Each structure stands twice: as structure tokens, then as C-alpha cells.
Amino acid sequence: MPTARDPLADLRRIAYLLERAHEKTYRVRAFRGAAAVLGKLPEGELAARAKAGTLTDLAGVGDVTARCVVESLNGEEPVYLRRLEATAGQDLDEETRGLLEALRGDCHAHSDWSDGGSPIDEMALTAAGLGHEYLVLTDHSPRLTVARGLSAERLEEQLGVVADLNAGFAELGMSFRILTGIEVDILADGSLDQTDELLARLDVVVGSVHSNLKDEPEVMTRRMVTALANPHLDILGHCTGRLITGGRGTRPESRFDPAAVFAAAVEHDKAIEINSRPERLDPPKRLLRVALETGCRFSIDTDAHAPGQLDWLSNGCARAVACGVPAERIVNTLPAADLLAWAASHG
Ligand SMILES: [Zn+2]
Ligand SMILES: [Zn+2]
């Protein structure tokens, strides 16, 4: 008789692969939710229900998930999972794979403290599982209320949670750690939407424009240049704000003077983000080339809002390679200590 697999691990793996493939959230939730329900069953009940065919009597467990569980318990890789694994193969070219392997972490990711879907520890463990040395946790700032931006009090509380999680990782002998951070809104006047005191305490600050995206070019340029000159900001997130596909529809690029913005980034030694989200892929290659020629540093980030999305760095790597961005210009090829030293050099 073949040995049973872990059905819950299989369900979570399916959720992860669906997420990575940018599938609809409800499909991902069906599997992760079922795993949570089944994980709470008393010893032996899972197997008994699988045998009796009563798994689907449980709220949150549908036909497809039940079938996966039965297959796992029979020691077979669920057909659903096998199909996903087969199509998830990343056929990256050699250069893109090389750059991906050179990245040591991710500087932009959200948890369920703001608009992400998963707790901090789950995001962190997924990042560690991908081989990252660090993950910068960058939940949103207060004014972005639609994304449940963190007040100063909640951010302060989050810093304590991150410190505890890092202590736990160290105890387990993991070299991985969460770096503290924020995706802070760049406000209409170019100021940043969090207290100076807190911004100064964070390891890495990503600053992004999320409002008044249709500002006149002169206004937007001044706004971004002001933010880049702010010593707290380290990385300029998704600089054009464009959306090219996906459930939120499309949105044109914000208009600004790229020469002035990228020159300000060089002057203050800040990084321009290469955002890997499939619906963003920001900046467009045309601007990425201008930033490269201007002498900018870059950060290739996932902007993940769920664990499976932490695997999207290859999207950004492919674009960096296509535009000839060398690894030494990319700040997240740096070990954590050097990344922190670079961020700290801004004040
Ligand atoms: Zn953003
Ligand atoms: Zn973000």
C-alpha cells in the first residue's frame, strides 16, 4: 500500500501555485480555506470522512478539494496539483535565471496588516523557502485607507511583531530575516505619509504615488523629485502607476519628466523600483532604459500581496535583462548588511 501524502500540504501547494499563476483570489481561497478547515479536525476524522465520502459535508470543502484529499491519502499526487506543477515550469533564459539567482531578497511586500491576504509569518516563511535572505515588509501608510494603511500606532505595533518573528527565526538557526519597512504614500506636495520618527526607524522605505495620478507633468515631476530628496525614502515604487492588464482594469502612465526624476534618484543615490506585478510591469522598458542611462540604481521587487506572488521576481529580472541592467546596479543583489548600509546612508 502506498504511503499517504500530507493532504493539507498538497492543498496549500495548490493555493500557492494558483496564486503564482495570478489566478482569481476566490480559487486560491477555496484551497487555502479548505486546508484551514481540515487542519482543525480531530485526529482520524479526516481519513474517516475521506473513506466515507463525507468531506464535502464540511463547510468550505468542495468536490475538487475533497477529491484532492482522497488522492493524497491514497499516496497519489492529486491530479489537480500535478497539472498545475506541469504548467508552472518557468522556462527562463539563462541570463534571467542568473539574475534571479543573484537576488538575495525582496524589498516590497504586503501582509494582511494592510491589503495583503496573508499574515506576516506566512509571507516570511514563503520568502525564506524561495531562498531569500530577507524580505522587506512594506505595508501601506495611513492615507491609503482603501488598503487599510497603517497608522503610526499600528506600524509601531508591527515593529514589535517583526522583532519577535526575527528572534524566532534566529532561534531556529535560520539566516533569514524580515527587514522593517513601509510603502509610504508620496502625498500631493511630495511629502511622505508617516512620521519622520517612524520613517527613521525603518530599515527600508519604499515611496509610491497612489493618488492624483493625473497630476500635470510639472506637478508630478516636482512631487517625485521632492520625495526622492527626502532622506527617508530609499526606493521609488512603481513610478508611472500604470496598469496594463487585470481585474482593476487598465490605467495610463502618469506623466512626468523622466530626465529630472531619474537625475534626482542618482543625485540622492536612491533606487528606482522594477515592479514585477504582471498588471504593473513598471517602469515601461522605454523608461527603464532612460533610468539606466542616467545612472540609477534599481530594486527588483514583487509587490506581493500573497505568498504565491513572492515568486514573481522573474518578471522583473526578465525586464532588467532585456534592458541590459547589470546586477551591480540592483540593490537587492546586496547582502542584508550592505542593503541596510545603503539605506542608512540616506539618513
Ligand atoms: Zn503601491
Ligand atoms: Zn505595494
Side-chain angles (χ1 to χ4, degrees):
M1 204 159 130
T3 28
R5 295 162 59 93
D6 177 351
L8 303 189
D10 281 345
L11 293 180
R12 289 197 196 99
R13 176 76 184 157
I14 289 170
Y16 178 88
L17 291 171
L18 287 171
E19 222 159 55
R20 190 170 79 174
H22 214 186
E23 291 286 349
K24 297 251 183 316
T25 311
Y26 75 86
R27 295 189 63 201
V28 178
R29 282 214 187 111
F31 289 94
R32 203 166 270 140
V37 169
L38 298 172
K40 288 190 192 119
L41 292 179
E43 177 91 41
E45 188 174 335
L46 180 68
R49 279 184 176 273
K51 208 165 171 199
T54 59
L55 282 168
T56 51
D57 294 351
L58 297 166
V61 181
D63 288 333
V64 179
T65 43
R67 198 177 316 129
C68 291
V69 169
V70 170
E71 288 166 343
S72 289
L73 289 173
N74 287 337
E76 303 155 19
E77 180 176 26
V79 175
Y80 196 97
L81 176 56
R82 199 185 324 145
R83 258 193 236 125
L84 276 175
E85 295 278 14
T87 51
Q90 296 186 345
D91 39 1
L92 301 180
D93 61 71
E94 206 175 310
E95 258 188 292
T96 301
R97 176 154 300 285
L99 182 55
L100 183 62
E101 282 166 8
L103 297 183
R104 293 166 182 261
D106 191 338
C107 294
H108 186 164
H110 300 270
S111 74
D112 60 4
W113 282 57
S114 65
D115 61 346
S118 292
I120 300 170
D121 57 347
E122 199 180 329
M123 295 297 285
L125 289 172
T126 304
L130 285 169
H132 292 358
E133 292 171 24
Y134 50 85
L135 175 69
V136 185
L137 179 62
T138 56
D139 278 312
H140 288 287
S141 64
R143 300 264 189 115
L144 205 61
T145 48
V146 289
R148 299 179 56 238
L150 271 58
S151 64
E153 292 71 30
R154 287 186 72 223
L155 178 55
E156 182 110 40
E157 188 190 335
Q158 185 181 70
L159 296 181
V161 170
V162 168
D164 289 346
L165 283 170
N166 279 337
F169 297 150
E171 250 168 56
L172 291 170
M174 293 166 65
S175 56
F176 173 86
R177 68 171 157 151
I178 305 167
L179 301 181
T180 61
I182 186 173
E183 182 181 14
V184 67
D185 264 46
I186 297 175
L187 300 174
D189 63 356
S191 63
L192 304 181
D193 179 30
Q194 191 45 275
T195 66
D196 281 334
E197 192 266 326
L198 269 169
L199 291 173
R201 277 169 60 193
L202 298 171
D203 292 325
V204 177
V205 172
V206 176
S208 308
V209 170
H210 289 121
S211 59
N212 303 73
L213 289 158
K214 290 181 183 157
D215 270 354
E216 286 302 313
E218 306 75 50
V219 176
M220 184 61 89
T221 302
R222 205 177 321 123
R223 189 175 170 189
M224 292 167 93
V225 167
T226 302
L228 283 162
N230 186 314
H232 297 308
L233 185 145
D234 302 307
I235 298 168
L236 178 64
H238 51 70
C239 64
T240 77
R242 73 172 183 173
L243 292 177
I244 50 177
T245 63
R248 287 190 285 167
T250 59
R251 186 164 63 206
E253 299 169 23
S254 294
R255 292 169 306 145
F256 57 88
D257 176 0
V261 168
F262 297 145
V266 172
E267 182 190 343
H268 302 290
D269 194 25
K270 307 295 173 74
I272 300 298
E273 176 180 79
I274 300 176
N275 189 295
S276 301
R277 293 191 65 81
E279 80 277 22
R280 287 197 184 273
L281 297 178
D282 202 359
K285 287 181 188 160
R286 165 189 108 253
L287 290 181
L288 187 47
R289 289 195 190 93
V290 176
L292 177 67
E293 281 158 26
T294 312
C296 290
R297 291 195 195 242
F298 299 92
S299 178
I300 300 180
D301 301 335
T302 60
D303 196 356
H305 286 65
Q309 300 176 359
L310 287 165
D311 217 2
W312 284 349
L313 283 176
S314 53
N315 295 343
C317 288
R319 298 171 67 74
V321 164
C323 295
V325 179
E328 57 271 21
R329 287 271 200 100
I330 300 166
V331 294
N332 50 328
T333 61
L334 296 171
D338 295 351
L339 178 78
L340 292 175
W342 167 73
S345 74
H346 303 136

